[in-house]
Amino acid sequence: MQHGTDAHNPQPVWPAMPPQPVRADRGSPSKLAIVSLVLSGIALIGVIALLVLFLGGGPDGGGPLTGKLATSSAGVRGADLEDVVTNRITDDGGDVEAMRCPDVASVAQGVVAVCHGSISGDDWAVIVYFEDAQGHYTLDPI
């Protein structure tokens, strides 16, 4: 018998190979696809729910309110603006206990007034964005 060969088999004898590492069974690719699809759907529903909560954060649960008020060349008195803001929020379902607004010297696109008041038991600032000189406005309770 020669070194490195078997007498019955003239081929050289190689040392035994180490066993292959055992890999954990992670399931078939189709199971992984289903799991990832379900988790993606749950994440999408969560994002939509957060957007609804975030964007619906006004006193009535809705977004900005719009309307039109009477204007003059002298602008709008604070007391008149308080009435307009109070009535618009009340029409939308809010309960306005108090509202204070400043006088606005002139109404034009880009003019902003900030009113403060108590709506449905909470303190709010209401931003009044004037959209034009005709008195169109958007309210944004924050």
Side-chain angles (χ1 to χ4, degrees), residues 29-69:
S30 62
K31 288 180 184 177
L32 288 174
I34 292 170
V35 168
S36 66
L37 184 64
V38 169
L39 291 177
S40 296
I42 291 170
L44 180 62
I45 290 170
V47 167
I48 291 171
L50 287 174
L51 283 174
V52 167
L53 289 173
F54 177 72
L55 295 177
D60 63 340
L65 307 174
T66 60
K68 185 176 189 273
L69 57 84

